[in-house]
Amino acid sequence: MVNSNRDHFQHAIEHMTEIHRKWPGIFDEMVTRRIPINEFKAALNNPPPRI
């Protein structure tokens, strides 16, 4: 879900595409962990340790 209008969403996609082109893999490095949607409450209550 995006809390934005269509133009803002489209601009975000364009910016993210440019970032990915300039720095391949940067988004993979930004994601600290992935959890199933049904476990979101536990993830909010137990953040990952800071590095």
Side-chain angles (χ1 to χ4, degrees):
M1 179 167 73
V2 175
N3 187 13
S4 179
N5 68 39
R6 185 177 178 92
D7 289 339
H8 292 152
F9 184 72
Q10 185 62 40
H11 285 121
I13 292 171
E14 292 166 7
H15 289 294
M16 291 177 76
T17 301
E18 181 67 13
I19 290 167
H20 178 69
R21 187 186 65 74
K22 287 183 178 179
W23 299 285
I26 192 71
F27 293 119
D28 292 331
E29 293 179 25
M30 292 172 62
V31 175
T32 58
R33 66 179 172 162
R34 297 174 192 268
I35 59 161
I37 190 68
N38 61 331
E39 296 179 17
F40 79 94
K41 286 183 183 179
L44 292 175
N45 293 327
N46 299 304
R50 295 184 77 102
I51 298 175

